[in-house]
Amino acid sequence: MLASCSLRGLATLRKSLHRCHPGFTCPTPHTTRLRHAFLRQLVTSIDPSHGLSEEQLAIQQLATDFAIKEMLPNMAEWDEKEFFPVDTMRAAAALGFGAIYAREDYGGTGLSRLDASLIFEALSKGCTSTTAYISIHNMCAWMVDHFGNTSQREQWVPQLASMEKFASYCLTEPGSGSDAASLSTSAKRDGDDLILNGSKAFISGGGDTDVYLVMCRTGGEGPKGISCVLVEKSTPGLSFGKKEKKLGWNSQPTRMVIFEDCRVPASNIVGVEGQGFTIAMKGLNGGRINIASCSLGAAQASIEAAAEHVKIRKQFSQPLASFQNTQFKLAEMSTEVVASRLLVRNAAMALQEDHPDTVTLCSMAKYYATERCFQVINDALQLFGGYGYLKDYPVQQYLRDSRVHMILEGTNEVMRLLISRHVLSDLK
C-alpha cells in the first residue's frame, strides 16, 4: 500500500525509531522493540532491502516498481536509439525523484542521502544510464536549493523537482579534468552582468537540458577565483558541440557547452562570488555516492540475471550452477556487492550527518563500489558465456553503462589521492 504513493507522502512518516541508544537497557517491551529495530537497520546483506526501516522499504519498493515497469522494458531501445526519455523522467519526478534531497518548502522531496542511494540503486536496475542522469540532475537541484538565494530557490527548485526543467553540471573543460581548480572559462564583470567565455566538456544532458550550473573564473587563479553561475539554455552566446558517440550512457546526450560572449545577470551567481569551487566539490560528495549507487544497482541486477541463467543453462548434462567454479564465482560477486553497499550506505549517512571524514568516506565508497561492481558485472557476463555478449541480454548494457563510473564525478585515481591524503595527514 505504501509503495503506491509518492515520496512526498512518505517523507511525512519519518519516525525516531533509530534514536534508541544501543547501550541503553530498559525492561519495557516498547524499548526492546526499538532496540531490535535499531539493530536491524545496522544489517546490510545480499538482499538490498535488508536493514531498512518500514519507510525505507516503501521508498525502495516505489523505485523498484517504477524501474521494472517504466524503465527496464525500454532500456535496450533507449540505448540503441540514443533516446533521452524526458517523459519517463518526468513521471519519475512526479513520484518525488526529481529533487530527492532538496528541502520541501519549494517542492523538494526532503529525504536523506541514504534514501537517495536506495532510490538510485533501485532505478539503476531499470536503466543505469537514465538513472545516472537523474542523479546528476538531483545534484544540481540540491546545489541550487542549498546555496541559492531565496529568489533562485523559488524560481528553480520547483521546476527542477518536477523536471519541467532539466539541469546540467558544468565543471570539466577540455584542458582541466582532474585538475578542476585550473579551469579557464572566464566570467568578467560588465556592469550588472557577467560575460562568459570558454567551454565545458563531457556535459551530461548538454544541448537538451534547460539550465547549466557553470563553474567559471570570476577572480584570480586557483579555487578561490571560481564562482558558480546559472546559465539558461536560451541565453545568447551559449552554444553546443556535436553529440558525442559513446560506449555507454546512450540514453543521455553528451556535448561540449560553449560560451562566446555569453551575457548573464550577475544575480545568477549561486552562493557568493568565489564560492564556486566549494559548491562544486560539495555537490560531488553526493554525486559520488549517487553514481556508486547506480553501479550497485547494475551489479545487483547482473548477479540476479546470472544466477537465474546458471540454474537453467546446462553443459556436460548438468546445470552450470552445479559446478563449484560457478558457485565460488557467485559467492565472490555477492560478497563484493554487499561490501560495496556497506561502504556506500555508510558514506551516505556520513554526508547526511556532516561527519568530519565525509570527503574520505565518499571517496572510498565511490572508488570501491564502482570498481568492484564493474568487475561483478563483467563476471556475470562471463557466466552467460557467448550469450552475455549479445545485445539481447541486458548484462552487456549494464557493463557498458557502468564503465564510465570509474571516470566521472572524480576519477578513481583522484579518489585514491583524497583517501591517501587523509591517511597521511592523520599520521603526522
Side-chain angles (χ1 to χ4, degrees):
M1 180 177 178
L2 279 173
S4 66
C5 65
S6 74
L7 293 186
R8 292 185 181 89
L10 287 170
T12 65
L13 300 177
R14 290 222 169 271
K15 305 292 183 183
S16 58
L17 201 60
H18 64 284
R19 296 296 183 188
C20 177
H21 193 284
F24 178 74
T25 58
C26 178
T28 67
H30 174 68
T31 304
T32 301
R33 287 195 298 271
L34 286 173
R35 290 187 64 204
H36 288 169
F38 179 88
L39 292 172
R40 281 198 301 273
Q41 290 182 52
L42 298 179
V43 174
T44 296
S45 188
I46 296 171
D47 184 337
S49 69
H50 286 181
L52 303 182
S53 68
E54 182 181 353
E55 181 196 348
Q56 289 168 335
L57 286 170
I59 290 169
Q60 185 186 62
Q61 190 61 54
L62 181 68
T64 299
D65 288 347
F66 186 85
I68 298 305
K69 294 175 182 177
E70 305 298 333
M71 299 174 76
L72 187 59
N74 301 302
M75 183 176 85
E77 183 179 359
W78 292 344
D79 175 69
E80 182 180 359
K81 295 183 178 179
E82 299 184 0
F83 178 73
F84 193 41
V86 168
D87 290 340
T88 301
M89 290 191 289
R90 285 181 175 148
L95 298 177
F97 299 156
I100 297 167
Y101 45 94
R103 289 168 285 179
E104 295 177 83
D105 54 346
Y106 286 112
T109 307
L111 297 182
S112 72
R113 299 302 185 125
L114 177 56
D115 297 330
S117 175
L118 302 177
I119 291 165
F120 294 134
E121 179 178 352
L123 290 179
S124 194
K125 296 171 72 173
C127 181
T128 303
S129 167
T130 302
T131 304
Y133 171 74
I134 293 172
S135 81
I136 294 168
H137 174 91
N138 268 266
M139 179 174 68
C140 293
W142 175 81
M143 289 164 65
V144 175
D145 179 64
H146 190 76
F147 293 100
N149 57 39
T150 300
S151 176
Q152 291 167 341
R153 293 184 65 231
E154 185 176 20
Q155 178 182 359
W156 288 106
V157 174
Q159 297 184 86
L160 296 176
S162 66
M163 286 189 162
E164 176 187 345
K165 301 287 188 182
F166 292 93
S168 289
Y169 176 87
C170 301
L171 176 64
T172 300
E173 297 183 358
S176 66
S178 295
D179 184 15
S182 69
L183 65 83
S184 61
T185 296
S186 63
K188 296 184 178 179
R189 283 270 184 178
D190 183 25
D192 292 332
D193 294 335
L194 295 170
I195 309 297
L196 275 66
N197 281 284
S199 59
K200 298 292 180 178
F202 309 119
I203 303 306
S204 294
D208 282 44
T209 50
D210 305 287
V211 61
Y212 298 82
L213 291 180
V214 183
M215 309 308 147
C216 50
R217 193 163 298 284
T218 54
E221 295 182 358
K224 293 183 179 180
I226 297 171
S227 297
C228 177
V229 178
L230 192 152
V231 182
E232 297 185 55
K233 183 180 181 181
S234 59
T235 307
L238 173 63
S239 61
F240 305 96
K242 66 178 179 64
K243 184 178 177 181
E244 305 289 0
K245 302 294 289 183
K246 308 189 297 291
L247 174 70
W249 272 28
N250 290 319
S251 70
Q252 50 168 296
T254 301
R255 294 183 177 90
M256 286 190 68
V257 178
I258 303 163
F259 307 94
E260 297 174 298
D261 292 330
C262 180
R263 181 181 292 270
V264 299
S267 59
N268 281 21
I269 293 176
V270 177
V272 298
E273 189 169 337
Q275 194 183 12
F277 192 77
T278 297
I279 293 172
M281 294 302 105
K282 286 188 177 293
L284 283 178
N285 284 335
R288 287 162 184 163
I289 295 170
N290 296 346
I291 213 66
S293 301
C294 292
S295 289
L296 276 173
Q300 183 72 32
S302 297
I303 288 178
E304 292 171 2
E308 289 302 312
H309 176 76
V310 299
K311 291 175 187 176
I312 299 168
R313 173 71 169 164
K314 289 185 177 181
Q315 287 292 283
F316 305 103
S317 302
Q318 54 186 318
L320 293 180
S322 67
F323 294 100
Q324 192 177 66
N325 178 70
T326 303
Q327 297 165 5
F328 281 9
K329 181 57 66 179
L330 286 170
E332 293 166 4
M333 293 159 66
S334 298
T335 301
E336 293 288 18
V337 168
V338 172
S340 297
R341 188 176 290 123
L342 280 164
L343 277 171
V344 171
R345 292 184 179 180
N346 182 62
M349 290 185 288
L351 180 57
Q352 186 70 34
E353 299 300 323
D354 197 24
H355 190 281
D357 295 342
T358 291
V359 172
T360 302
L361 294 172
C362 290
S363 300
M364 286 178 171
K366 195 267 184 185
Y367 149 61
Y368 190 89
T370 58
E371 295 209 352
R372 295 304 189 274
C373 288
F374 178 79
Q375 186 57 51
V376 165
I377 300 165
N378 194 42
D379 289 339
L381 191 152
Q382 189 72 16
L383 288 174
F384 271 89
Y387 293 105
Y389 205 66
L390 301 179
K391 289 193 174 182
D392 303 275
Y393 294 81
V395 174
Q396 50 76 32
Q397 189 171 337
Y398 290 129
L399 183 88
R400 290 185 291 107
D401 285 343
S402 296
R403 178 59 183 87
V404 73
H405 297 181
M406 291 181 272
I407 299 172
L408 52 81
E409 313 292 43
T411 66
N412 283 4
E413 288 74 22
V414 169
M415 297 304 98
R416 292 175 173 91
L417 286 174
L418 293 172
I419 297 164
S420 62
R421 186 182 300 165
H422 182 143
V423 174
L424 292 171
S425 67
D426 279 356
L427 293 177
K428 289 182 180 178

